[in-house]
Amino acid sequence: MTLFPKDFLWGGAIAANQVEGSYALEGKGLSTSDMLPSGILSPHQTRQERTPGIKDVAIDFYNRYPEDIALFNEMGFNCLRLSIAWTRIFPNGDEESPNEAGLAYYDRIFDELATHNIQPFVTLSHYEMPYALVENYGGWADRQLIGFFERYVSTVFERYKDKVKLWLTFNEINMSLHAPFTGVGLQEDASEREIYQAIHHQLVANAKAVKLCHEIIPDAKIGNMLLGAINYPFTCNPDDVIAAMHENNKWLFFGDVQTRGKYPGYMLRYFRENGIEIAMEDGDLDVIASASVDFISFSYYASGCASADPKQKEVGNIVASVPNPYLEKSQWGWLIDPKGLRILLNFLYDRYQKPLFIVENGLGAIDELDENGEIQDDYRIAYLNDHLVQAGEAMLDGVELMGFTTWGPIDLVANSTAEMRKRYGFIYVDRHDDFSGSLERKRKKSFFWYQDVIKTQGASLTVK
């Protein structure tokens, strides 16, 4: 196996709302994630009816981050992707001045990472926004949110310009099409026109954030993030090939706008044919055109197939697709397709000719303690090994790959269903869906496997 380059960024990825807990501590406001105690696949609650959820404490990273960062360092991380909770900085989203306690908290996080020579890689908005912006403005449907987001990102860029040199704007921005409350703060039954209008505001805000980052932190890089939901044609029938093209365009649209700086023709046609009119102000398209991201980042868990026959579809996770008969499924019904990662890497690099970063890849599974109290998660090792081998193949193909941050390096609350039993980590956390557990951390077998992969720059990977 060809070694990954010396400057390759190795690490893991976490999200504030899935690890931190302390949901109301030190002035933090309620977020949209706080209104989804059962995960994004469930209807959201209101402030008045809100009930406690497992995310309220999560894995208590808010207080235990020194221990967790030390464990990441032990594995050899030189990069940690994490998010800032917008509601810790601007609790309601529309304040004139930020919450100093929230800013100080992330100062402590970044300082702790620096002591371990781990580079922070920060997502500005990871599946959460101030819930007050939904209550008072209707979420991203109101273009005032562009200004509120601009104030938030300006604040954190100025505050952390000497500590953070890698940034992302919106996590899996294309998921707004499938989970509008989580993505853009709209009601679950929002119309397609309403969703795309909110997305337009978010794309303008994305461009403004990119421009601000370049101005405030000239030596930083800022990228976008896509859910890499690549679809193959179910058969070689040209109708299926066209169906796959349409399915892929639904998510590539976001990358095209954020990278090429304009609305693509296929999307304008879709809007025309479906009676979708996007209200734009003068200058919106100029803003979008003026701020291309520096790199493309994406999550990759599974591939899918597309068919012209709508009866072929089934739902795995959130995105409906046609099951691929050549692939095995995970315990949660996700198709396991390591070679799909190589295909996706080549596909995105050919399309954009910008550096790529795999910011999420991992296997959610039920981990059982053995008779010695250990976790022998060979299934996770096999999954990640095979995906990293294919990432290496893509680099041999000529793809410029910046790094790999696995989701999530420590057990955390699953986003889709707010479960702890769906575990991703190299580090086991004694926390369970009935809210029990000591929160003790324990190294799994995969912990030492990933440690070796990083130490050998990939030479320890097994090529089948």
Side-chain angles (χ1 to χ4, degrees), residues 230-251:
I230 191 165
N231 282 276
Y232 309 135
F234 187 55
T235 71
C236 54
N237 183 329
D239 289 340
D240 284 356
V241 177
I242 290 174
M245 180 181 75
H246 288 322
E247 287 299 315
N248 286 325
N249 281 346
K250 287 179 182 178
W251 63 271

Side-chain angles (χ1 to χ4, degrees), residues 21-43:
S22 298
Y23 79 99
L25 195 67
E26 295 189 301
K28 179 185 175 296
L30 288 175
S31 73
T32 47
S33 179
D34 293 324
M35 298 296 125
L36 293 163
S38 299
I40 70 172
L41 296 184
S42 302

Side-chain angles (χ1 to χ4, degrees), residues 111-151:
D111 290 346
E112 188 71 21
L113 288 168
T115 65
H116 293 284
N117 296 311
I118 298 174
Q119 180 172 179
F121 182 11
V122 175
T123 308
L124 291 162
S125 180
H126 191 132
Y127 278 176
E128 63 180 346
M129 58 183 284
Y131 181 61
L133 295 181
V134 176
E135 291 177 300
N136 300 326
Y137 300 90
W140 281 95
D142 191 324
R143 68 175 294 124
Q144 289 183 82
L145 265 73
I146 298 171
F148 298 146
F149 188 72
E150 196 173 3
R151 181 183 298 157

Side-chain angles (χ1 to χ4, degrees), residues 286-335:
D286 291 334
V287 169
I288 288 172
S290 69
S292 177
V293 292
D294 299 314
F295 61 93
I296 309 290
S297 81
F298 63 92
S299 62
Y300 178 78
Y301 296 98
S303 61
C305 291
S307 170
D309 180 1
K311 291 182 288 188
Q312 296 282 358
K313 277 193 177 183
E314 70 176 39
V315 175
N317 186 25
I318 301 165
V319 181
S321 65
V322 179
N324 189 327
Y326 297 98
L327 300 175
E328 295 181 359
K329 293 182 179 180
S330 74
Q331 289 175 312
W332 268 264
W334 300 16
L335 294 166

Side-chain angles (χ1 to χ4, degrees), residues 128-358:
E128 63 180 346
M129 58 183 284
Y131 181 61
L133 295 181
V134 176
E135 291 177 300
N136 300 326
Y137 300 90
W140 281 95
D142 191 324
R143 68 175 294 124
Q144 289 183 82
L145 265 73
I146 298 171
F148 298 146
F149 188 72
E150 196 173 3
R151 181 183 298 157
Y152 158 59
V153 299
S154 297
T155 299
V156 297
F157 287 159
E158 289 287 358
R159 178 73 170 226
Y160 307 124
K161 60 186 176 183
D162 297 324
K163 299 180 180 183
V164 181
K165 305 298 184 181
L166 275 178
W167 297 87
L168 294 181
T169 51
F170 295 96
N171 176 74
E172 293 184 334
I173 188 169
N174 47 310
M175 271 305 299
S176 295
L177 298 175
H178 309 282
F181 180 75
T182 289
V184 283
L186 298 186
Q187 302 304 310
E188 285 86 355
D189 61 353
S191 70
E192 198 174 24
R193 185 200 64 77
E194 290 170 325
I195 293 170
Y196 275 112
Q197 181 65 61
I199 285 168
H200 172 72
H201 296 153
Q202 213 168 61
L203 289 169
V204 174
N206 172 88
K208 286 178 175 283
V210 170
K211 189 169 184 292
L212 283 166
C213 185
H214 290 158
E215 291 171 353
I216 296 171
I217 325 176
D219 58 339
K221 288 185 170 66
I222 184 166
N224 65 338
M225 194 231 175
L226 305 169
L227 191 165
I230 191 165
N231 282 276
Y232 309 135
F234 187 55
T235 71
C236 54
N237 183 329
D239 289 340
D240 284 356
V241 177
I242 290 174
M245 180 181 75
H246 288 322
E247 287 299 315
N248 286 325
N249 281 346
K250 287 179 182 178
W251 63 271
L252 289 167
F253 154 65
F254 296 84
D256 287 351
V257 174
Q258 293 172 314
T259 305
R260 295 170 169 170
K262 62 180 180 180
Y263 274 64
Y266 63 80
M267 207 67 220
L268 297 177
R269 175 181 179 176
Y270 183 82
F271 290 162
R272 284 194 308 271
E273 294 182 353
N274 289 274
I276 297 171
E277 291 189 21
I278 305 298
M280 300 185 189
E281 288 194 358
D282 291 343
D284 280 2
L285 295 179
D286 291 334
V287 169
I288 288 172
S290 69
S292 177
V293 292
D294 299 314
F295 61 93
I296 309 290
S297 81
F298 63 92
S299 62
Y300 178 78
Y301 296 98
S303 61
C305 291
S307 170
D309 180 1
K311 291 182 288 188
Q312 296 282 358
K313 277 193 177 183
E314 70 176 39
V315 175
N317 186 25
I318 301 165
V319 181
S321 65
V322 179
N324 189 327
Y326 297 98
L327 300 175
E328 295 181 359
K329 293 182 179 180
S330 74
Q331 289 175 312
W332 268 264
W334 300 16
L335 294 166
I336 299 174
D337 182 14
K339 290 179 180 176
L341 178 57
R342 178 184 178 185
I343 294 167
L344 179 60
L345 283 163
N346 274 276
F347 183 72
L348 291 174
Y349 194 66
D350 287 346
R351 191 178 187 98
Y352 298 123
Q353 293 293 297
K354 283 182 180 281
L356 304 180
F357 203 127
I358 304 165

